[in-house]
Amino acid sequence: QMVGKADLEALSTADLRRLIADAADVLADRADKAAGTGGSAAVGSSGGLFGNSSSGGLFGGTASAPGPLFGGGLFGGAASSSPGPLFGGLIPSERSGASAAGGGLFAGIGTGAGGGSFSFGSDPVAKPSVPKAESDDEAAEEEVKIIPGWTAPITLQVQESIESGEEGEECLYEQRSKLYRFRDEEWKERGLGLARLLLNKATGRVRFLLRQEVTGRICANHYIFEHSTYCQLSHNAGNTKVWVWAAPDSSDGEAVVERFALRFRTEEFAEKFREAFEDAKARNKEVISPDKEAD
C-alpha cells in the first residue's frame, strides 16, 4: 500500500520516526536476501541503510535504479533522474537554481549531482559602473585669443615700470595724514595719504607732496619757501593736531594759491611735521627766490 504525503503529514513526529526505523529494517532485510549471504556481501549488489553504488538505500540513491521510499535519500542526493517523494527529489530550478537530479533534505542545491553547498539563488546583480569624470585637460576650454575678421580699436602695452615724477628725489619726511582744502567758504576733504617732503638731488629744492593713498592722485604739490604770506604754519582754531597754510599749488596743473589744512593723528606727529617743514624752508632759502615763486 502506497503512503502519500497527506498521510505522512497526518502522523505525529514519533510515528514518523517509528515508520522510518521500520522502513530501514525492511530495506536491510531485503538487501541481505538479495545478496544471499548477508553482511558485507550486500555492498556490491544492493543498497543497504546508507545505499551503495548499484542500489538505493534509506540515506542514498543509485546511479541506475530509482530511489527508495524517501527518494534520493534522507541526507544525500542521487544522480538518478527520478524525483524523491518526501525529502528528496526535484527542486524547481527557477526557485533556487537546482538541477534536475533528485536531492535529499540536506542535499546540495545548484549542482549536477545531489551534493554541494547550500544556496538560495543566483549571483547578486552587479552594480552599474560609474563613468569616469573628464580630466581637467579635457574639460578646460581653449582660450580664444584671435577672432577672424575683427581687430581691437586699441592695443594696450604692459610697461615694466611707470614713472611717477619722483625719480631722482630723496624723501626727507613722510607721515600718513588727511589733507583739507578751503573751497566755497568751507573746508573740504582733499585726500588721505602720506604727506611727504621731497628733495630734488639735482636742484636742491624741497617740495611738499601728498597723493591719495588709494588712487595715487596728487592732492597737493608745491615748493616750500620763506614768505610773509605763504608757507606760514598756524593751528586751526587752536587745534594742535592741525596745521594750516597757504601756497601756490600746482596739483591740478597751473599754479593756483590754495589754503590747506593738514590733520595728524597725534600732537607729536604734528610737531614733527612742523620741524621738517621749517627745515625745508631753510634748505630752499638759497635756491628759491620767494618773489619769483609768489608770482
Side-chain angles (χ1 to χ4, degrees):
Q1 182 179 359
M2 294 297 294
V3 179
K5 180 178 180 181
D7 297 332
L8 294 174
E9 290 178 350
L11 298 177
S12 65
T13 302
D15 291 339
L16 283 174
R17 290 177 178 175
R18 285 194 296 270
L19 181 59
I20 293 173
D22 293 342
D25 293 340
V26 172
L27 289 174
D29 291 341
R30 288 182 181 180
D32 292 341
K33 290 178 181 180
T37 58
S40 60
V43 174
S45 60
S46 178
L49 179 61
F50 294 95
N52 53 45
S53 61
S54 61
S55 180
L58 176 62
F59 295 97
T62 67
S64 60
L69 177 63
F70 297 97
L74 178 61
F75 296 99
S80 173
S81 61
S82 62
L86 179 59
F87 296 98
L90 179 65
I91 300 176
S93 60
E94 63 271 13
R95 178 176 300 178
S96 61
S99 65
L105 177 63
F106 297 98
I109 300 175
T111 59
S117 60
F118 187 80
S119 175
F120 275 108
S122 60
D123 296 336
V125 179
K127 296 181 179 180
S129 59
V130 179
K132 294 182 179 180
E134 295 182 352
S135 63
D136 294 339
D137 296 337
E138 295 176 350
E141 296 183 0
E142 184 178 356
E143 182 182 359
V144 178
K145 297 181 178 180
I146 300 176
I147 301 177
W150 180 82
T151 303
I154 59 173
T155 302
L156 301 179
Q157 183 178 1
V158 179
Q159 298 181 355
E160 295 182 358
S161 61
I162 300 176
E163 294 184 359
S164 62
E166 302 172 20
E167 295 77 17
E169 291 184 309
E170 178 185 354
C171 182
L172 302 178
Y173 167 89
E174 68 175 11
Q175 178 61 52
R176 189 171 186 264
S177 55
K178 182 175 290 187
L179 182 70
Y180 296 85
R181 185 172 63 176
F182 194 78
R183 285 288 179 90
D184 302 326
E185 302 300 322
E186 64 177 347
W187 289 105
K188 296 182 180 181
E189 183 177 332
R190 179 67 168 156
L192 174 67
L194 291 177
R196 296 188 295 168
L197 300 179
L198 302 177
L199 170 65
N200 189 303
K201 296 179 181 179
T203 63
R205 293 184 174 187
V206 181
R207 63 171 176 155
F208 172 80
L209 179 69
L210 188 145
R211 292 180 182 270
Q212 214 280 339
E213 64 181 4
V214 176
T215 63
R217 178 177 61 91
I218 297 177
C219 300
N221 180 29
H222 65 82
Y223 287 109
I224 302 172
F225 54 92
E226 186 67 46
H227 192 273
S228 59
T229 305
Y230 305 130
C231 300
Q232 299 295 324
L233 296 180
S234 62
H235 290 300
N236 180 40
N239 189 342
T240 56
K241 297 180 182 179
V242 180
W243 288 111
V244 177
W245 73 95
D249 178 69
S250 58
S251 58
D252 293 332
E254 295 182 0
V256 178
V257 176
E258 300 283 4
R259 291 182 63 190
F260 293 113
L262 192 62
R263 188 179 71 182
F264 294 91
R265 185 166 59 88
T266 64
E267 294 180 1
E268 289 77 11
F269 290 156
E271 179 60 25
K272 289 182 179 180
F273 173 76
R274 187 195 65 79
E275 294 174 358
F277 197 87
E278 295 298 331
D279 180 69
K281 279 186 184 181
R283 289 173 178 267
N284 287 338
K285 189 174 183 179
E286 298 178 359
V287 294
I288 291 180
S289 172
D291 296 333
K292 185 176 180 180
E293 291 296 330
D295 295 336

